[in-house]
Amino acid sequence: MKYSREKIKELTGEEIKEDFGYLEVLTEKQFKSKSQNRLFHALLDCFWESGCSSFVSKQEMRWHYKQIAHLIETEYICPLDVWTKECVWKAIKLLPIEEEQRRAVVDLLKGKVIKEHSWGEALKDGARLAIDSIMRDMDASGVITSRKGKKYEEILKGLNEWWE
């Protein structure tokens, strides 16, 4: 909501230079969700930018921790009939392709669909598991002594806002 400079000072004690500012009213659940989302992404960014993670890509790392939070769901939906699947499979077996490519084709034939859910849908326990896990991995890989060590320390100092 939009408020005057005076009203913002009255409500929050904060002084702003502009004539107007905005305040957001959140329920406790919305606040927790927003806070854990910021924390999760701050940790992810710090871990990735530190160069200490062993993940191939930032997306792979993100999905790994979201899976721990139960935010990645795999479904199988295939519009192909059995005859078509068998025909494609026979053709694939004849081609000289790598095992990883073969697995990708099998997933495609099965109709594998991965659904990624928002952090807003994370239950507190799932979010806590994922955040604990990323922090353990960051500690084990030496992020604190990396070039992003100071950023990691700042994140840890601000952690009490969400964790309590």
Side-chain angles (χ1 to χ4, degrees), residues 56 58 61 64-65 102 104 115 120 136:
V56 175
K58 188 174 178 184
M61 181 171 69
H64 172 76
Y65 293 108
R102 190 179 309 280
K115 290 170 93 178
R136 266 194 315 276

Side-chain angles (χ1 to χ4, degrees), residues 87-147:
C87 183
V88 171
W89 179 240
K90 286 177 185 176
I92 293 301
K93 288 197 305 189
L94 296 174
L95 295 173
I97 61 174
E98 296 175 16
E99 186 57 33
E100 187 176 325
Q101 292 170 321
R102 190 179 309 280
R103 271 187 259 128
V105 170
V106 169
D107 285 344
L108 187 62
L109 289 173
K110 287 180 180 177
K112 186 176 182 180
V113 177
I114 297 175
K115 290 170 93 178
E116 180 179 1
H117 296 280
S118 161
W119 263 102
E121 299 173 52
L123 299 176
K124 187 175 182 180
D125 290 343
R128 188 178 291 265
L129 274 172
I131 290 170
D132 282 347
S133 181
I134 193 172
M135 287 172 50
R136 266 194 315 276
D137 292 349
M138 290 173 80
D139 291 342
S141 64
V143 171
I144 202 77
T145 59
S146 74
R147 59 191 168 100

Side-chain angles (χ1 to χ4, degrees), residues 8 17 34 53 83 93 106 120 125 129 144 147 152 159:
I8 288 177
K17 295 177 183 175
K34 231 177 175 175
S53 82
W83 184 84
K93 288 197 305 189
V106 169
D125 290 343
L129 274 172
I144 202 77
R147 59 191 168 100
Y152 187 37
L159 187 61

